Structure formats: C-alpha cells, structure tokens
DNA sequence: AATTTTGTTAACCAATTGGTTAAATTAAAT
DNA sequence: ATTTAATTTAACCAATTGGTTAACAAAATT
C-alpha cells in the first residue's frame, strides 16, 4: 500500500457515502449496508478497503473533526486589531458550519460517547494550533487596556458557544421560534454580525 | 392499567437504569440487555412493562427534555429588573446542567436524529411556556431604553448557547485547555457569574 | 382454599449486523 | 499471450439484538 497510485473511485465513493451516513446517524446508528447502498457498491468492499466499520468511521471522524479547526492561525498571526480578528473568526466559523451544519453535533456527540483514545489524541494534536495564539492575542489586548479583563479561556469558550450551539439546537429553535429551514439559515447568516457585535460590546473598554 | 396502584419497584428500577443507559449511549447505542443488567432484572421485563425499546426511550426522553425547560415563568413574571432575571435564569440553568451534565447533548442529539413526531410535538407544547414571556421582557426593556436594541430571539439563543454549549463540548474543552473533570466543574461554576456579566455588559445601554 | 391476575424467568426466535470467503472478473505486470 | 495482482461479487457466517413464549411464582380476588 506504500505510494500506491491507483484509481480511487471506489474508495472515494465509499468515503463520500460514509461521510453522509456517519454524520447523519453517528457511529452506532450507521449501517454498513446503508453506506454500501449509498455508494452503489457491494458491502464486502467496505471491508476490503477499510477493514472494519470502526476504521472507516475513524477516517471520517478525523477528516471532519479536522475541519472543526480551520486555519485560524493566519488570522491570529496578523497585525489586525483583535476585534477584526474576532469578526473574521466568527464569520468564517459560522460560514463553515452553515456549509456543514451537522459538523459540530457529529464531532461533539461522538467525542462524548467515544472511549477511543485515537480520537482524543487527534484533538490533542490540534491543541497548540490555535488556543495558545488566541490566548496570547487576548492577553495582549487586556494588557494594552483595549478590552476588559476576562479569562481568555472563558472568552474563547463564549465565542465558540455563540457560533456553534444554535446549529446543534436547530430542531428545538425551529420549533420554539416557529421558523423553517430557510428562515433558520437566514438567521444564522445574521448571526455573523450579531455575534461579533455581542462579543465586542461585551469586552470593549 | 387505569388508576392502578401497584408496587412500582421494578418499574422504577427499569426507569432509573434506562435513564442512565439512554442518556449515555443514546437510542441507537443503548442495549436492552444492558438496561436489564443495570436494573438487575430479566430483559423480558422491559417488554412486559414498556412493550418496546422505542416506548421506553420515549418515556425517558420526555422526562429529560421536560427538564430542559425548568419553570422560568416565575422568574420572568416577577417585577425584578431584567438583568436580575437573566442572572437567575443563567445561574439556575447552569446549575441544572451541572447536576445533569449530559442533558443538553442527549436531548439535542436525539432531536437531530429523530424522525419521531411525538418528540417534536412535545417541544411544541413547551413553546409558549417561556419564549413569549422572555421576548416580552426583552422588548419591554428595549422600549424603556434600559438595554440596546437587539433581536429578542437572538438574545435568547445567545443566553442558552453560553449556558449549554460548554457542557456539550466538554471532552474537547478538556483536551484543548488541559483540564480535568474537577477543574471543568469549577470552571462551569464560575460561568454563572461570567456569562451573566458577559451578557449584561453586551446589552446594557 | 381455590381461582384469577399480575409479575418473573429462562429459553427461544427471526431479523439484522459486521464481517468472511471463495470464486469470478478486471487490471496490471511480465 | 500469459501470469500475477487487485478488485468485485454473491453467498455465507457467527454473534447480537429486540422481542416472544410458556411455565412458574407471587399477589390479589373470590
């Protein structure tokens, strides 16, 4: 399997189908036959290419979880004011989730259920990627007196809470606010500005 | 089965065990044999008392989802200033989730997966219970000029986002911030004040 | 005390599930 | 053209799963 150049059509078909089924149903709810049906292939091929359900799931999980941490470093490394950075992070993140609405719930749900250390290790590897930089950015602005004193950790949690939770709570929000999918999406677009303003209004000195 | 007064020990054992297993593993991941083992009973009794896995799940789901909407009406009906009400709601809600840490993820995860209209109807029934009153409270304060103009719907979403999301994201937060369970819990206790202050700072005129 | 009703058990069941296997087919290498 | 390797298929497998059944035990009723 080393450096093997091959026609990956079947493999790609499987990955595409698996992505859909796993994200929608989770590991426990997904069925190999359903993935095979969606990929238009014989179920035995799932095992030929990926050996087991768990391994196939792991590939999909790592791929999608990786997307949960887009390249914020460039934003955080720039010389722009922190408020602009927050604006960019919030907008990019909400846009990312609008494009992949089930992403947060899928990743967090499986993380809560998983006893698989592989998945946890995967997140550990992301740890220094942006949390430190974000913390540094925030601490710098506190020291400069631009923003109020607030725990960077809590602020970061707040930012991601405000961006991601509404998508997770979508069915409940839809019912409670009596809005349909289109209205929900419109609302999420609005949140790019509303969340940014909310955060900045809160921390501005 | 009408007005039947009976020894409910076995039924209660089942409910207690089912609560634990369903909340931890969800509907798809839960196994009837595991519930029976945890309840210390024979698996056939699950069907004797609750007829099917789905029906047992529904009982547990409605019970726990009901808890997701505690009696906020009393808080919202009082004459206290809105900021105090927000403080109370945030504190009560975070306390509620601290006591039932898996509650938000369980309910929202199953709501996202469920095609069962019973569950959706259940939430519809909760709709007018507190959303309207919350909206009225917010609109009143906007009109009085106490808080900035903000969409009540978005503000309500923000409040619940800030309260609930960290618990859903716990495994990821733990890894990224390198904190253990005790530290996480301490952090969540802190959030009662931090979230309230964050919100009030954001909307105060 | 006898009968009926309710609760419990162990064994069993059909269907489903993730996975395996051997043969057939296709593709690549010689 | 032949051989080897890779891919695909259909059938099959063992284990698991939610659920059923009949027998037995306990409780309630007559």
């Amino acid at each position: 399997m080393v450096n093997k150049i091959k026609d990956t059509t079947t493999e790609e078909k499987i990955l595409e189908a698996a992505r859909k089924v796993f994200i929608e149903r989770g590991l426990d709810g997904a069925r190999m036959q359903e993935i095979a049906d969606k990929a238009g292939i014989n179920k035995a091929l799932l095992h030929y290419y990926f050996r087991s359900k768990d391994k196939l799931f792991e590939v999909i999980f790592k791929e999608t979880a990786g997307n949960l941490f887009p390249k914020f470093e460039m934003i955080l490394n720039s010389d722009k004011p922190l408020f602009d950075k927050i604006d960019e992070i919030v907008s990019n993140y909400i846009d990312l989730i609008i494009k992949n609405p089930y992403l947060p719930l899928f990743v967090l749900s499986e993380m809560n259920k998983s006893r698989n250390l592989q998945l946890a290790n995967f997140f550990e590897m992301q740890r220094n990627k942006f949390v430190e930089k974000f913390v540094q950015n925030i601490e710098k602005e506190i020291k400069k007196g631009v923003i109020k004193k607030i725990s960077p950790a809590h602020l970061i949690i707040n930012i991601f809470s405000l961006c991601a939770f509404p998508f997770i709570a979508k069915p409940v929000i839809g019912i409670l606010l009596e809005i349909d999918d289109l209205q929900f999406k419109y609302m999420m677009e609005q949140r790019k500005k509303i969340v940014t303003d909310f955060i900045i209004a809160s921390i501005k000195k």
Side-chain angles (χ1 to χ4, degrees), chain A residues 10-33:
Chain A
T10 298
E11 193 171 322
E12 283 174 351
K13 279 187 202 164
I14 293 174
L15 287 173
E16 191 182 337
R19 201 172 289 127
K20 283 177 189 161
V21 177
F22 279 134
I23 289 186
E24 183 180 340
R25 300 186 187 287
L27 174 58
D28 289 330
R31 293 295 173 259
M32 295 296 258
Q33 185 61 60

Side-chain angles (χ1 to χ4, degrees), chain A residues 100-177:
Chain A
N100 308 272
Y102 297 108
L103 186 63
L105 181 61
F106 170 66
V107 173
L108 297 176
S109 186
E110 297 301 328
M111 280 298 293
N112 271 280
K113 280 187 199 160
S114 180
R115 300 291 176 265
N116 185 344
L117 275 189
Q118 291 272 71
L119 304 187
N121 290 341
F122 180 76
F123 270 102
E124 263 198 64
M125 280 167 51
Q126 313 295 320
R127 194 174 58 214
N128 296 325
K129 290 280 186 77
F130 83 99
V131 176
E132 257 184 54
K133 284 210 194 305
F134 214 160
V135 169
Q136 284 164 12
N137 270 260
I138 293 165
E139 283 173 341
K140 198 165 107 188
E141 299 298 293
I142 291 172
K143 189 177 285 191
K144 280 161 62 177
V146 174
I147 64 175
K148 295 174 193 166
K149 189 168 162 62
I150 180 175
S151 152
H154 279 290
L155 178 55
I156 293 168
I157 289 171
N158 287 354
I159 290 168
F160 288 105
S161 297
L162 293 166
C163 293
F165 184 76
F167 293 93
I168 295 174
K170 180 188 168 186
V172 174
I173 289 174
I175 292 168
L176 293 188
L177 299 182

